[in-house]
Amino acid sequence: MDYSRRVDLVSTYAVPDTYQPPETLPELAKSTDYPNTNSLHYRLTKAVPLPEKKLPPFLDLATVSRESGNVIVAGNNYTGRLWEGGFCGWDATADLFQEEKISFSHRCDAIITALCYTLDDALFLLGNDRGSIELWSTGNAVRGPGLYMIDKRNEHIGSITALDIFNHTERTVISGSVDGCIKLWDYSQGDLQSTGTFAHAHLGAITSVATDCKQDALAVSCSKDQSALLWDFREPKPAVALYDKHDVPFATIRWCDEGVWNRLVAIGDEMGRVHFIDTRQPNVFLETIPCFDRKVHQISFHGKHFAVLGNTPEVKFFDDKSKEIQVENSASNYVRDIVWDATNDNDRPISCTLIGWDSYVKRLTLEDRAAE
């Protein structure tokens, strides 16, 4: 090999000394010598942070506390010079998106990817795209009212994609991330302590986790590796296959209410279908409901009804017979989450609030089709 003919790539592709573009935006706008300066314009544009008590336009997540009905909504900004997230809290669903009734708000320097209240109304958890899990408080007897972060852990390698709490007595959280890892956390001592790590729970990115509404030790998870697992953390080997080798990746999973749905698990896939599986009979779909022609984003249950959200402006509502009862298609972009109104009266109509991208907020009452 003749090394005398080799090319010095560093000097060849280096910025020449004669390249001296304008250093300010007004000068750049008048320059005709440097027309192709999109990247320079981007660097010179100052990032504008999110103002206080304002949510970004891409509303992604919502969570409701179990006892008092407090609501938190989180949004992200995917289009600006600065990608960031933020969340705001209200005392009740009736106060949603009324700026004068916001009880707390916070800007985040990362994209918020997971959000849920704990069993304590004053505590909630947040996950982001940097692999961090944060425990927040809205106030206590010692410090008084006011938002503050209690603890932050960075033990996931990739973005947090799933987060849920166990619903009985144990103060335990389950989380999943894009690296296929599932972790258990204990928050009973006032901070977050990792109590279990399953580094290779799935071969692909975990897309969703859900806990049993009655037992602390049971959970389900699904992944882009086209499988779903049933977890019993009382066992030495806690995971068994709930469904293996599906034809497309699973996108979301939800444990149905025990009283109405008889311990079924609902799973949505990337083909827009919702499947129901009995945990006592794995690898068998009891029922399949085609909903969309694209990925299912979320399945949300409320009493004898459930809603299916996808990567689409539509939201479809079903009854306990899997009959479609209503379709809402007023959004111009993706609908990402739903907040149900709390009601214990079967005679009252069921209402909910939909949130989505482009700052979409829609108050909705389901049509009564009992007479049909």
Side-chain angles (χ1 to χ4, degrees):
M1 181 179 295
D2 186 1
Y3 287 100
S4 62
R5 302 178 62 183
R6 66 183 178 181
V7 177
D8 186 355
L9 296 181
V10 175
S11 59
T12 300
Y13 290 99
V15 177
D17 296 334
T18 56
Y19 182 77
Q20 298 291 335
E23 296 183 354
T24 64
L25 287 178
E27 294 176 350
L28 184 64
K30 299 178 181 179
S31 174
T32 58
D33 295 327
Y34 298 91
N36 189 16
T37 53
N38 291 334
S39 61
L40 179 61
H41 187 281
Y42 181 78
R43 292 195 301 271
L44 292 177
T45 302
K46 184 179 179 181
V48 179
L50 185 70
E52 291 291 343
K53 293 191 174 183
K54 292 287 186 181
L55 284 170
F58 296 88
L59 305 180
D60 280 319
L61 300 160
T63 183
V64 183
S65 62
R66 299 170 186 272
E67 297 296 332
S68 60
N70 299 334
V71 186
I72 302 174
V73 176
N76 296 299
N77 185 13
Y78 301 116
T79 60
R81 173 69 173 84
L82 183 65
W83 282 28
E84 62 177 350
F87 59 84
C88 293
W90 289 266
D91 291 335
T93 55
D95 301 334
L96 275 175
F97 299 100
Q98 298 182 43
E99 186 173 338
E100 68 276 5
K101 294 187 177 182
I102 292 176
S103 56
F104 58 85
S105 66
H106 183 73
R107 296 198 308 262
C108 304
D109 58 358
I111 298 297
I112 301 174
T113 56
L115 179 71
C116 72
Y117 260 107
T118 68
L119 296 179
D120 306 295
D121 283 355
L123 299 176
F124 66 92
L125 291 144
L126 181 149
N128 61 38
D129 64 340
R130 299 179 181 178
S132 301
I133 293 183
E134 301 171 1
L135 179 63
W136 288 80
S137 173
T138 58
N140 55 41
V142 177
R143 297 187 55 158
L147 181 71
Y148 65 96
M149 185 191 298
I150 298 174
D151 198 8
K152 180 179 180 178
R153 298 290 177 174
N154 300 277
E155 298 186 20
H156 278 287
I157 296 177
S159 171
I160 305 296
T161 54
L163 197 62
D164 203 1
I165 65 167
F166 289 90
N167 299 286
H168 198 41
T169 57
E170 297 293 334
R171 298 299 196 262
T172 306
V173 182
I174 182 172
S175 63
S177 62
V178 295
D179 61 346
C181 175
I182 281 181
K183 292 184 70 70
L184 297 179
W185 307 83
D186 175 62
Y187 64 93
S188 62
Q189 303 300 318
D191 58 358
L192 286 171
Q193 297 292 333
S194 176
T195 58
T197 301
F198 306 90
H200 302 289
H202 286 275
L203 298 178
I206 294 171
T207 52
S208 183
V209 297
T211 58
D212 187 2
C213 59
K214 295 296 182 182
Q215 300 187 49
D216 281 335
L218 299 182
V220 288
S221 64
C222 63
S223 168
K224 286 185 174 293
D225 65 3
Q226 302 175 221
S227 72
L229 298 178
L230 172 64
W231 296 83
D232 186 346
F233 295 105
R234 297 167 298 189
E235 301 293 333
K237 295 183 178 180
V240 296
L242 183 63
Y243 199 92
D244 195 21
K245 298 180 179 179
H246 189 41
D247 54 350
V248 294
F250 288 122
T252 185
I253 193 166
R254 207 72 214 152
W255 211 306
C256 308
D257 179 70
E258 182 176 7
V260 179
W261 303 91
N262 195 25
R263 296 189 59 75
L264 298 182
V265 171
I267 312 180
D269 64 22
E270 293 194 355
M271 289 290 290
R273 301 167 295 185
V274 174
H275 311 278
F276 286 91
I277 302 178
D278 192 332
T279 57
R280 297 159 294 191
Q281 190 180 3
N283 289 307
V284 176
F285 289 145
L286 301 181
E287 184 181 13
T288 296
I289 306 173
C291 296
F292 307 113
D293 58 358
R294 57 190 71 183
K295 183 176 78 170
V296 173
H297 176 70
Q298 183 180 340
I299 307 169
S300 180
F301 287 87
H302 181 74
K304 295 184 178 181
H305 300 80
F306 67 95
V308 181
L309 290 67
N311 281 0
T312 169
E314 284 189 342
V315 179
K316 294 187 176 182
F317 296 88
F318 299 84
D319 60 15
D320 57 345
K321 306 299 181 184
S322 300
K323 177 184 177 182
E324 184 180 303
I325 59 174
Q326 190 168 335
V327 178
E328 178 61 36
N329 53 11
S330 60
S332 61
N333 211 323
Y334 294 165
V335 180
R336 308 316 274 167
D337 212 335
I338 180 171
V339 178
W340 298 94
D341 283 9
T343 175
N344 296 321
D345 188 352
N346 293 329
D347 295 330
R348 292 178 59 186
I350 298 176
S351 299
C352 62
T353 302
L354 304 174
I355 66 170
W357 290 4
D358 295 339
S359 300
Y360 174 75
V361 180
K362 177 71 173 183
R363 179 78 176 167
L364 188 67
T365 299
L366 297 190
E367 299 175 3
D368 186 6
R369 298 191 177 184
E372 296 184 3

